[in-house]
C-alpha cells in the first residue's frame, strides 16, 4: 500500500478536507498533511464494458459476422479501441505483422509517466475466430482492459511503475501477435517488464472464477480481490499456455491472469460454489456463432473487470 503525496489524487483532497474539519484547523494554519493510504482502484462501470461489447458486436455484424485475423472486422475492432485510447491521452502504437498471408495488428498503449524500468502490462487478444463475433472470446477481456485503461486516464493515475496496455492480433492462429511482440523486444526491454497480466474470456455465461497459477505475487493480488468479495477462486487448469501470457512467460516475464471458463464442464461442486448450471460448459458458445452479446454473464464480467483494475492499480503503485 502506498502513501499519498498531497495533491496527487482526488482521494487525497477529500481526506485532507475531512482532516481539516475534524481537527478544526483554519485556512492558513493547516496541519502538516498526514500520510494517508490511497491508490484505491476504481469500480469499473460494467455498463461501460458492455457498451464496448455492443460496439464489437456491431463491428462483427457489419463485417461478415466475425472479427477474425486478416478480416475487415479485426481492423475495425483495432480502430475502435485505438480511437478511445488516443482521445484519452495514451501513446498508441500499431504493430503490424503477417500471418497466413494476411496482415495482422497488435495495439500497444503506453500511459505517459512512471518508471519505464518497471513496466506493468495488461493485455487481451482482440481477434475472434471466423465462426463468430467473439464477444466472450475475447471481447470480454479486450473491453475490460480498455475500460481499465480509460479509468487510469479519468483518475489521472500516476503510479510509480509505467503502465502499458496491449490488444493482440491472431491469438486464435496460435498466439501469433503476442509472440511477435515479445520476439521483437530487445532483451533489455523484456527485462524491464515487471509483470504481464492476461485476460482471455472473463464473462463466460456459466462462469467460474479461475486465477492463473503462475507468478505468486500476481496470483495473490487477484486472490486478495476475490477474498474481499467472499468468492472462492480456483486455479486455472483448462489449458496452461493456451493464451498470450505464454510468450511472456517463456521470455522470463512474471505472468498472471483471470479466466471464467471455456468448453470444460462445470462440476456440481463448482455450481454449489459459484451458482450456474452443473453439467454444462462454462461457455457453451465457445468458438461458435452464438458467442454474441447474449453470451455474457454480467456479474462475472463486472467482477472480473473490477479485478483487472484492482490488479493494475495494486501492482503498479
Ligand atoms: N485461448 C483461448 C482461446 O482464445 O480460444 C481460450 C483459453 C484461454 C483456453 C485460457 C484456456 C485457457
Ligand atoms: Ca464494477
Ligand atoms: Zn480466445
Amino acid at each position: 500500500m502506498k502513501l499519498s503525496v498531497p495533491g496527487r489524487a482526488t482521494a487525497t483532497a477529500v481526506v485532507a478536507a475531512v482532516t481539516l474539519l475534524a481537527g478544526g484547523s483554519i485556512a492558513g494554519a493547516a496541519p502538516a498533511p498526514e500520510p494517508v493510504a490511497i491508490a484505491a482502484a476504481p469500480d469499473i462501470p460494467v455498463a461501460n464494458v458492455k457498451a464496448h461489447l455492443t460496439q464489437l458486436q456491431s463491428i462483427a455484424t457489419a463485417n461478415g459476422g466475425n472479427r477474425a485475423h486478416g478480416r475487415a472486422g479485426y481492423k475495425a475492432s483495432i480502430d475502435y479501441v485505438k480511437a478511445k485510447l488516443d482521445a484519452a491521452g495514451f501513446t498508441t502504437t500499431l504493430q503490424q505483422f503477417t500471418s497466413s498471408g494476411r496482415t495482422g495488428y497488435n495495439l500497444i498503449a503506453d500511459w505517459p509517466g512512471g518508471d519505464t524500468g518497471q513496466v506493468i502490462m495488461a493485455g487481451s487478444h482482440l481477434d475472434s475466430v471466423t465462426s463468430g463475433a467473439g464477444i466472450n472470446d475475447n471481447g470480454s477481456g479486450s473491453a475490460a482492459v480498455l475500460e481499465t485503461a480509460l479509468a487510469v486516464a479519468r483518475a489521472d493515475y500516476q503510479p510509480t511503475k509505467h503502465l502499458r496496455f496491449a490488444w493482440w492480433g491472431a491469438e486464435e492462429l496460435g498466439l501469433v501477435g503476442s509472440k511477435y511482440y515479445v520476439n521483437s523486444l530487445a532483451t533489455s526491454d523484456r527485462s524491464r517488464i515487471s509483470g504481464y497480466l492476461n485476460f482471455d474470456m472473463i464473462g463466460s455465461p456459466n462462469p467460474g472464477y479461475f486465477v492463473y497459477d503462475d507468478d505468486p505475487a500476481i496470483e495473490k493480488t487477484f486472490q486478495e480481490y476475490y477474498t474481499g468479495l467472499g468468492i472462492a477462486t480456483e486455479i486455472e487448469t483448462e489449458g496452461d499456455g493456451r493464451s498470450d501470457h505464454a510468450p511472456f512467460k517463456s521470455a522470463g516475464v512474471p505472468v498472471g491472469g483471470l479466466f471464467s471458463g471455456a468448453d470444460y464442464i462445470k462440476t456440481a461442486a463448482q455450481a454449489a460454489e459459484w451458482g450456474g448450471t452443473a453439467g454444462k460448459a462454462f461457455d457453451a458458445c465457445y468458438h461458435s456463432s452464438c458467442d454474441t452479446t447474449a453470451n455474457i454473464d454480467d456479474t462475472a464480467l463486472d467482477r472480473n473487470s473490477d479485478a483487472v483494475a484492482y490488479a493494475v492499480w495494486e501492482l503498479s503503485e
Side-chain angles (χ1 to χ4, degrees):
M1 188 66 63
K2 174 179 39 217
L3 300 179
S4 76
V5 182
R8 184 130 182 238
T10 313
T12 310
V14 171
V15 173
V18 169
T19 306
L20 268 173
L21 285 172
S25 308
I26 51 160
E34 303 219 356
V36 288
I38 56 148
D43 179 345
I44 298 297
V46 72
N48 294 11
V49 181
K50 291 192 72 180
H52 300 313
L53 294 182
T54 300
Q55 292 303 312
L56 294 175
Q57 177 70 62
S58 301
I59 286 169
T61 303
N63 290 284
N66 68 70
R67 302 180 303 99
H69 166 70
R71 314 294 181 100
Y74 183 71
K75 185 56 167 52
S77 300
I78 281 280
D79 292 345
Y80 171 76
V81 175
K82 184 175 184 298
K84 295 278 178 198
L85 295 162
D86 286 338
F90 283 84
T91 303
T92 58
T93 309
L94 206 52
Q95 185 179 47
Q96 201 174 310
F97 58 88
T98 303
S99 183
S100 305
R102 293 174 186 257
T103 301
Y105 304 91
N106 292 326
L107 175 64
I108 312 296
D110 283 274
W111 180 239
D115 177 4
T116 51
Q118 302 179 78
V119 180
I120 293 293
M121 282 190 82
S124 290
H125 77 84
L126 186 57
D127 64 312
S128 72
V129 291
T130 53
S131 49
I135 297 304
N136 186 37
D137 181 15
N138 183 30
S140 62
S142 296
V145 173
L146 172 58
E147 196 53 32
T148 296
L150 298 177
V152 164
R154 283 195 293 266
D156 193 21
Y157 183 38
Q158 297 295 333
T160 305
K161 295 178 188 162
H162 179 78
L163 289 176
R164 182 176 298 155
F165 299 91
W167 291 264
W168 310 117
E171 186 271 354
E172 300 290 6
L173 278 67
L175 321 179
V176 175
S178 54
K179 280 181 186 165
Y180 185 86
Y181 174 80
V182 171
N183 289 337
S184 69
L185 284 175
T187 310
S188 55
D189 286 327
R190 280 183 210 175
S191 66
R192 290 187 179 100
I193 304 175
S194 311
Y196 172 72
L197 313 177
N198 193 62
F199 304 99
D200 186 359
M201 306 182 70
I202 60 167
S204 305
N206 186 27
Y209 293 92
F210 300 100
V211 177
Y212 296 3
D213 183 27
D214 225 296
D215 178 68
I218 298 174
E219 185 174 349
K220 184 171 155 275
T221 303
F222 286 123
Q223 276 164 353
E224 214 170 71
Y225 178 79
Y226 276 101
T227 301
L229 292 185
I231 294 165
T233 58
E234 288 185 19
I235 286 166
E236 195 285 299
T237 52
E238 202 160 336
D240 200 20
R242 258 173 82 187
S243 192
D244 298 299
H245 55 296
F248 286 88
K249 184 178 173 157
S250 301
V253 174
V255 302
L258 297 175
F259 180 57
S260 56
D263 48 0
Y264 277 31
I265 305 298
K266 185 180 270 189
T267 66
Q270 288 170 330
E273 214 168 55
W274 295 322
T277 312
K280 215 181 128 194
F282 294 103
D283 181 356
C285 289
Y286 177 61
H287 285 187
S288 305
S289 59
C290 57
D291 187 7
T292 64
T293 45
N295 191 43
I296 289 288
D297 181 83
D298 289 0
T299 303
L301 183 69
D302 190 6
R303 288 169 175 165
N304 283 326
S305 300
D306 292 341
V308 174
Y310 180 80
V312 164
W313 252 255
E314 286 290 318
L315 293 168
S316 63
E317 63 181 9

